[in-house]
């Protein structure tokens, strides 16, 4: 981590902040929203996570009926960026219009996410219509290419540290990037919010939700409530999960979804690993996050001193406040019409399915031959 921060400074970064801090912010809002939904008998359940932009886009296109179920909490970079251009800028005496916010992520879908129309909370805050919360998003693989192009050698760098205010994360923020990590982080915070006590050893580590199975589920007792939760990774696994949930009428309170196998650590922007070693690489990355989690003292986002300071000084003292809701929450769009006039398609009728693409190609070829 120290050499990564040093490398980013070498590339010209004036301030280097930890995206895991943004993960802590997401958990503050998402866990609070979950508790509100569980307590409110009229609320829509289950609550799905919304921090994976590929899953969000997938839901908007293929499962728009679940959009009311998605947490309105933004993803870590989508929370961190506007907070950098408001809270951080004010605290550091910076002109927000001069800030170029660059996110480094393992995810290619983040490139789409930062261009969503609604990702402009800092623009509304400063009344600068053209301001974007995140200006650029580069993948870890692109970062590696950039480092090579600039001939930066990690072995020759002295360790550096993140800048203050938004540079420290809890263990929950650290494990956010792997399948099951968001769920575990949320349960740690939700337990503390609801009971005032630290999450018990049954939740740290949350063994039932860890691992590489396509879907894992568990019951979590928080106060006088028992929450039925699940973690799913991979859209193929998700389709099967939803079919089973509907067929068997299974009630869930909270469902974590990540589009990539293994979670963010298996993102499309990560360094490529040849099969059959890919899962071993993912498992090694997951293990490293859990190892780091075990090393830190602060386990839950709500116990992060910098998070506490941020909320006390900027977000009106608590998650889900009016200001927090305006800046850290978002909306979703029904994109089912992208699939055609019927708003949906099956493998047999979908124009982009492999068999139908072959049929379309054959028809085009036949038409071209007939014209000749």
């Amino acid at each position: 981590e120290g050499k990564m921060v040093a490398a980013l400074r070498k590339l010209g970064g004036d301030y280097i902040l930890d995206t895991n801090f943004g993960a802590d912010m997401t958990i503050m809002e998402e866990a609070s929203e979950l508790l509100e939904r569980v307590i409110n008998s009229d609320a829509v359940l289950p609550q799905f996570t919304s921090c994976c932009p590929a899953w969000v886009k997938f839901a908007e296109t293929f499962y728009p009926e679940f959009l009311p179920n998605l947490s309105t909490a933004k993803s870590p970079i989508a929370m961190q960026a506007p907070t950098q251009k408001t809270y951080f800028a004010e605290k550091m005496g910076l002109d927000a219009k001069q800030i170029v916010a660059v996110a480094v992520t393992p995810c290619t879908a983040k490139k789409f996410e930062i261009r969503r129309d609604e990702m402009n909370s800092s623009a509304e805050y400063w009344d600068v219509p053209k301001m974007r919360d995140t200006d650029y998003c580069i993948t870890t693989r692109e970062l590696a290419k950039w480092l090579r192009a600039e001939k930066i050698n990690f072995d020759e760098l002295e360790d550096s540290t993140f800048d203050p205010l938004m540079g420290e994360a809890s263990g929950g923020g650290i494990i956010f990037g792997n399948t099951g990590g968001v769920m575990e982080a949320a349960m740690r915070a939700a337990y503390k919010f609801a009971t005032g006590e630290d999450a018990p050893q049954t939740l740290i580590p949350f063994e039932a939700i860890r691992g590489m199975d396509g879907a894992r589920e568990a019951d979590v007792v928080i106060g006088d409530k028992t929450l039925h939760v699940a973690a799913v990774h991979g859209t193929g696994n998700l389709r099967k999960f939803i079919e089973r949930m509907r067929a068997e009428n299974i009630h869930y309170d909270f469902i974590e979804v990540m589009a990539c196998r293994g979670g963010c650590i298996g993102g499309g922007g990560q360094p490529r690993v040849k099969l059959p070693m890919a899962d071993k690489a993912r498992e090694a990355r997951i293990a490293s996050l859990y190892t780091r989690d075990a090393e830190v003292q602060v386990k839950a986002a709500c116990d992060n001193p910098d998070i506490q300071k941020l909320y006390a000084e900027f977000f009106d003292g608590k998650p889900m406040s009016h200001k927090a809701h305006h800046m850290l929450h978002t909306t979703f769009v029904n994109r089912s019409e992208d699939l055609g006039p019927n708003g949906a398609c099956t493998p047999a009728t979908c124009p982009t399915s492999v068999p139908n693409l072959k049929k379309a190609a054959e028809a085009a070829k036949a038409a071209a031959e007939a014209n000749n």
Side-chain angles (χ1 to χ4, degrees), residues 96-252:
K97 295 189 293 296
Q98 298 300 312
I99 294 177
V100 178
V102 182
V104 180
T105 80
C107 174
T108 50
K110 293 290 181 187
K111 292 176 179 286
F112 167 77
E113 181 188 36
I114 68 170
R115 294 298 171 213
R116 291 178 68 111
D117 291 341
E118 62 271 21
M119 297 302 175
N120 66 342
S121 298
S122 55
E124 295 182 17
Y125 185 87
W126 294 112
D127 193 21
V128 181
K130 293 185 178 180
M131 182 180 287
R132 300 298 302 174
D133 292 336
T134 305
D135 297 288
Y136 297 98
C137 177
I138 63 173
T139 65
T140 47
R141 193 164 65 246
E142 289 171 332
L143 176 62
K145 291 179 180 178
W146 188 9
L147 291 167
R148 288 196 190 101
E150 295 295 327
K151 296 181 171 54
I152 295 174
N153 187 338
F154 264 56
D155 294 336
E156 296 174 354
L157 297 174
E158 292 186 11
D159 285 2
S160 184
T161 58
F162 289 111
D163 284 286
L165 298 182
M166 300 178 68
E168 294 294 332
S170 72
I174 290 168
I175 64 173
F176 212 85
N178 71 80
T179 177
V182 176
M183 174 62 66
E184 183 167 340
M187 291 300 98
R188 294 179 187 184
Y191 193 94
K192 185 68 175 280
F193 285 145
T195 68
E197 301 174 358
D198 292 336
Q201 291 185 343
T202 52
L203 291 179
I204 307 177
F206 196 178
E207 295 291 0
I209 292 296
R210 295 189 179 189
M212 286 286 284
D213 289 343
R216 292 90 62 207
E217 56 189 83
D219 287 322
V220 180
V221 178
I222 300 179
D224 61 352
K225 302 285 186 181
T226 298
L227 307 186
H228 191 45
V229 304
V232 188
H233 63 125
T235 51
N237 292 325
L238 176 65
R239 286 188 185 276
K240 295 175 185 176
F241 178 87
I242 289 176
E243 288 172 7
R244 175 174 167 267
M245 180 178 72
R246 285 171 165 168
E248 300 180 19
N249 196 27
I250 305 172
H251 170 79
Y252 293 93

Side-chain angles (χ1 to χ4, degrees), residues 44-123:
V44 178
L45 290 171
Q47 177 176 307
F48 285 91
T49 58
S50 55
C51 48
C52 170
W55 148 239
V56 169
K57 177 71 158 43
F58 188 81
E60 290 177 324
T61 304
F62 294 101
Y63 293 104
E65 66 272 25
F66 283 133
L67 295 185
N69 297 76
L70 263 64
S71 167
T72 59
K74 291 179 179 177
S75 72
I77 72 164
M79 286 196 185
Q80 178 127 342
T83 309
Q84 288 171 177
K85 289 191 175 182
T86 54
Y87 169 75
F88 184 80
E90 289 178 343
K91 296 288 286 186
M92 301 298 288
L94 303 174
D95 180 355
K97 295 189 293 296
Q98 298 300 312
I99 294 177
V100 178
V102 182
V104 180
T105 80
C107 174
T108 50
K110 293 290 181 187
K111 292 176 179 286
F112 167 77
E113 181 188 36
I114 68 170
R115 294 298 171 213
R116 291 178 68 111
D117 291 341
E118 62 271 21
M119 297 302 175
N120 66 342
S121 298
S122 55

